[in-house]
Amino acid sequence: MPLRLPPLRGGHGLRLLEGSRELFPALIAAIEQAKREVRLETYIFDFTGASSEVAYALERAARRGVAVQVVVDGFGTPGVPPDWAHRFEQAGVAWQVYAPVGSLGVLWPGSWRRLHRKLCVVDGTMAFCGGINILDDLHDPNHGTLEAPRFDFAVQVTGPLVAEVHAATQQLWQRLRARHSLRGQALSGALFPPRPTAVPPWPQDPAPAAEQRARAALLLRDNLRYRARIERAYRRAIGRAQSEIIIANAYFVPGRKLREALASAARRGVQVKLLLQGRYEYFMQYYAARPIYGALLQAGVAIHEYSPSFLHAKVAVIDARWATVGSSNLDPLSLLLAREANVVVEDAPFALQLRQRLLQAIGDPAAAMDPAQYGTRPLRQRVLEGLALGVMRLALAVQGKRYL
């Protein structure tokens, strides 16, 4: 079956952003200059620390007449502080919750299909995509204050791809409104009503500037038309790799085809480096990843575990030219169940910049995981790994999915 992927188009300006410390100022600057519309989607919208500055910017934009529409995931963002709910309502910020979690929580089978993508589009002229939630780098909702910033990336985009981001966010917003209306609730799951006035169309963007030459594409993953685009893009790029593959991924439990692609690349002489989660965050994701390391290590894949803070990145660089930045983990929750969004880029300057940051995070090559030590892990750890993998397989079976 051919890999049906959207073509990469030229004329894009790209800016790599690391962590909320780089994303939030860029996002706020764009919101402050908005004249017509701001659309934002995120899994987590937290109001602690620097993330509150994004909330203030959205409030200010709505108060000056900009149409502001925010969609959050019902599991990632179970509630909004009452003071912020009041502020947003008074300002006119329109807010909807994707798949609010019912009384059964994650025990309900349908609750595993989440909105995990992080997208923002401003006035149809600038977009943001990546793995960074509206969440301060040094704050974790489950673990409190962090000693070092979370490691994650986003990309700021101008050019043709922006229209695709706008269309995707608009389509989801309209579907949520229609779904709630069919249930007899004008905006059930929405905290605040949208502005009644329509947003006027904006003029066509001017021709791209000379520096806007990067080729890029938006890859969406959903449970309808685009079920496998992101994984297929990874497999195609890995299969074409000639010298180097660097992947940084927070929750790494790839399926058989993706594992075989990585092992095959390593065996044919490609340097394959994986930067993976080294800190315990969630039981299932942390332990379920480790049973698959053995075959990759045997094939010659270098595995590094990131431990200064939580690794939350979902990025890759191949042959210092192809790169991807987005929200999709390489695990079944992302690749089979969640709504995700990645930007794929073919541009040497952008890829080299991301490569440099990843190599800095990897650090000393001698710190790579030792295959011999991996083979002698304690029995207790192996038991936990088997249990976590079993839980993941059971969760997928309940969804009618097989992946591992």
Side-chain angles (χ1 to χ4, degrees), residues 45 47 68 70 72 77 80 88 93-97 173 189-192:
F45 199 127
F47 294 83
V68 179
V70 180
V72 299
T77 308
V80 177
F88 279 173
V93 174
W95 179 289
Q96 290 201 80
V97 180
W173 180 269
L191 297 181
F192 323 116

Side-chain angles (χ1 to χ4, degrees), residues 259-381:
R259 296 198 304 268
E260 289 178 351
L262 289 168
S264 176
R267 284 193 291 265
R268 68 174 184 266
V270 177
Q271 291 188 20
V272 183
K273 303 173 185 177
L274 304 181
L275 181 62
L276 307 178
Q277 185 72 270
R279 280 195 173 193
Y280 179 90
E281 188 175 12
Y282 302 112
F283 171 80
M284 184 173 67
Q285 288 91 334
Y286 181 82
Y287 283 109
R290 280 148 181 77
I292 69 169
Y293 289 177
L296 294 174
L297 289 168
Q298 270 193 334
V301 174
I303 298 178
H304 302 257
E305 292 191 307
Y306 186 82
S307 58
S309 186
F310 290 122
L311 182 143
H312 197 256
K314 305 97 167 56
V315 300
V317 179
I318 296 179
D319 290 343
R321 183 164 186 83
W322 183 97
T324 185
V325 178
S327 66
S328 181
N329 291 297
L330 297 179
D331 76 342
L333 300 185
S334 280
L335 295 177
L336 290 180
L337 297 174
R339 286 181 178 267
E340 305 283 3
N342 275 41
V343 170
V344 169
V345 176
E346 281 188 2
D347 181 68
F350 182 87
L352 285 169
Q353 184 184 11
L354 178 56
R355 177 180 183 271
Q356 181 181 16
R357 296 199 186 188
L358 294 180
L359 290 178
Q360 289 173 347
I362 288 173
D364 184 358
M369 184 179 292
D370 184 351
Q373 290 183 351
Y374 171 84
T376 59
R377 4 195 249 296
L379 176 61
R380 179 180 180 276
Q381 183 173 336

